[in-house]
């Protein structure tokens, strides 16, 4: 009987301890975006520490909530984040890449600096990381970003 109670208690804990974090950036409908690393726009992200901002796809459709930041992190390889600042949570407030080789983005409104090499970690007013998206390496020169 004690074993049954212990098993049920452990099962309850395992079920109730799920990830309950909800980003302030709303989910958008399903999207997928293929990145060809041989295209001039994306060649720089083949090197670690480089990131690019992509607001729309080739059909002029907005990607993510506020656009995408796609890059190659020093610590976690290829990654993608939503470009909307979580503090402002508006499609109109897009973080700007610092282009200083340090893998940082800054919100022009609240001033929070996001470390793109460290999972989009905030430094400043913001306490929430940038919303991240799934990146699949399809081949040596192709990535696929989706939600």
């Amino acid at each position: 009987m004690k074993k049954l109670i212990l098993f049920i208690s452990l099962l309850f804990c395992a079920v109730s301890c799920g990830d309950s974090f909800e980003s302030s950036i709303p989910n958008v409908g399903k999207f997928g975006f293929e990145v060809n690393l041989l295209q001039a726009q994306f060649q720089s992200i083949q090197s670690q520490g480089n990131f690019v901002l992509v607001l729309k796809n080739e059909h002029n459709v907005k990607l993510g909530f506020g656009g995408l930041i796609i890059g190659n992190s020093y610590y976690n390889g290829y990654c993608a984040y939503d470009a909307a600042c979580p503090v402002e949570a508006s499609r109109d407030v897009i973080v700007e890449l610092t282009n200083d080789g340090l893998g940082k983005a800054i919100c022009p409104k609240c001033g929070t600096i996001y470390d793109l090499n460290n999972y989009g970690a905030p430094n400043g007013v913001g306490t929430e990381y940038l919303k991240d998206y799934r990146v699949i390496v399809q081949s040596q020169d192709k990535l696929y970003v989706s939600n």
Side-chain angles (χ1 to χ4, degrees):
M1 184 67 170
K2 287 183 181 181
K3 288 182 180 179
L4 179 62
I5 292 172
L6 179 62
F7 174 76
I8 291 172
S9 297
L10 290 173
L11 183 62
F12 179 76
C13 286
V15 171
S16 66
C17 294
D19 183 13
S20 62
F21 174 76
E22 180 123 4
S23 175
S24 61
I25 302 300
N27 292 322
V28 294
K30 285 283 190 194
F31 74 87
F33 181 65
E34 188 172 85
V35 177
N36 182 341
L37 296 172
L38 299 178
Q39 288 181 327
Q41 177 183 7
F42 300 110
Q43 284 180 348
S44 67
I45 65 173
Q46 292 182 64
S47 299
Q48 288 183 318
N50 291 313
F51 296 85
V52 296
L53 177 64
V54 183
L55 298 177
K56 297 179 181 180
N57 67 13
E58 66 275 8
H59 303 292
N60 208 30
V61 175
K62 192 155 198 129
L63 296 167
F65 181 69
L68 298 178
I69 297 171
I70 304 169
N72 191 348
S73 164
Y74 284 115
Y75 308 117
N76 60 331
Y78 289 110
C79 54
Y81 307 104
D82 201 287
C85 175
V87 174
E88 306 302 327
S90 167
R91 286 187 161 188
D92 299 327
V93 182
I94 305 303
V95 297
E96 300 168 350
L97 299 177
T98 59
N99 292 322
D100 55 7
L102 299 176
K104 306 279 186 195
I106 186 168
C107 175
K109 190 163 183 182
C110 73
T112 299
I113 298 171
Y114 295 93
D115 185 349
L116 304 175
N117 282 304
N118 191 18
Y119 304 97
N123 183 2
V125 175
T127 57
E128 185 180 326
Y129 285 54
L130 290 174
K131 182 179 183 100
D132 66 326
Y133 292 115
R134 188 174 323 129
V135 177
I136 298 170
V137 178
Q138 293 183 316
S139 68
Q140 184 176 346
D141 56 357
K142 292 216 188 228
L143 306 175
Y144 186 74
V145 179
S146 65
N147 59 350

